[in-house]
C-alpha cells in the first residue's frame, strides 16, 4: 500500500507527510486567531450573549457566515483544482443519487 520492505516508522512518516502543510496552515490560523482573541477579549462574537432583532444569537450568525464562506471556498476549489477541473463528476454529486434512492432496510436502495 504505502511501501515495500520499509520499517513501520518509515511507512508512517510517508503516510503522514502530506498532512504537513495543512498542519502548518492550521497552526498559523490558530495563532493569528489566538492573538486576535487576546486583543479583542470578551468582545468576541463567540463570547457574546447578544441577540439580533429577530432573536437569533450573534454567535449563530457569526458561525453561519464563517462556515458558509468555508463551504463556498471548498466548492470553488473543487471546481477549479479538483476532479471538476478535469471534467470528472464530483464524488459528492455521484454519492447524492445513492442516498436519495435509499429505502429503509436496503443498502443504497438496491432491491
Amino acid at each position: 500500500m504505502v511501501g515495500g520492505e520499509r520499517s513501520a516508522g518509515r511507512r508512517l512518516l510517508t503516510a503522514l507527510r502530506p498532512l504537513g502543510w495543512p498542519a502548518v496552515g492550521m497552526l498559523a490560523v490558530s495563532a493569528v486567531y489566538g492573538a486576535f482573541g487576546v486583543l479583542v477579549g470578551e468582545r468576541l462574537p463567540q463570547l457574546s450573549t447578544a441577540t439580533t432583532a429577530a432573536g437569533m444569537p450573534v454567535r449563530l450568525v457569526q458561525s453561519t457566515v464563517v462556515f458558509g464562506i468555508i463551504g463556498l471556498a471548498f466548492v470553488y476549489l473543487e471546481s477549479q483544482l479538483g476532479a471538476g477541473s478535469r471534467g470528472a463528476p464530483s464524488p459528492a454529486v455521484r454519492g447524492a443519487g445513492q442516498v436519495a434512492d435509499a429505502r429503509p432496510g436496503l443498502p443504497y436502495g438496491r432491491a
Side-chain angles (χ1 to χ4, degrees), residues 1-3 6-20:
M1 179 166 83
V2 176
R6 294 185 282 181
S7 69
R10 189 74 173 150
R11 288 190 313 235
L12 180 64
L13 182 63
T14 302
L16 293 178
R17 183 168 285 132
L19 298 176

Side-chain angles (χ1 to χ4, degrees), residues 8-95:
R10 189 74 173 150
R11 288 190 313 235
L12 180 64
L13 182 63
T14 302
L16 293 178
R17 183 168 285 132
L19 298 176
W21 285 115
V24 169
M26 287 186 286
L27 286 171
V29 168
S30 64
V32 169
Y33 189 72
F36 179 73
V38 167
L39 293 175
V40 175
E42 293 183 6
R43 294 174 296 179
L44 278 173
Q46 293 86 339
L47 303 176
S48 174
T49 57
T51 58
T52 63
M56 184 181 287
V58 173
R59 295 180 306 237
L60 183 59
V61 173
Q62 186 262 347
S63 63
T64 302
V65 169
V66 168
F67 287 115
I69 290 170
I70 291 171
L72 289 173
F74 280 147
V75 168
Y76 174 76
L77 290 173
E78 167 65 23
S79 67
Q80 297 301 311
L81 302 175
S85 66
R86 295 183 299 278
S90 171
V93 174
R94 250 193 337 253

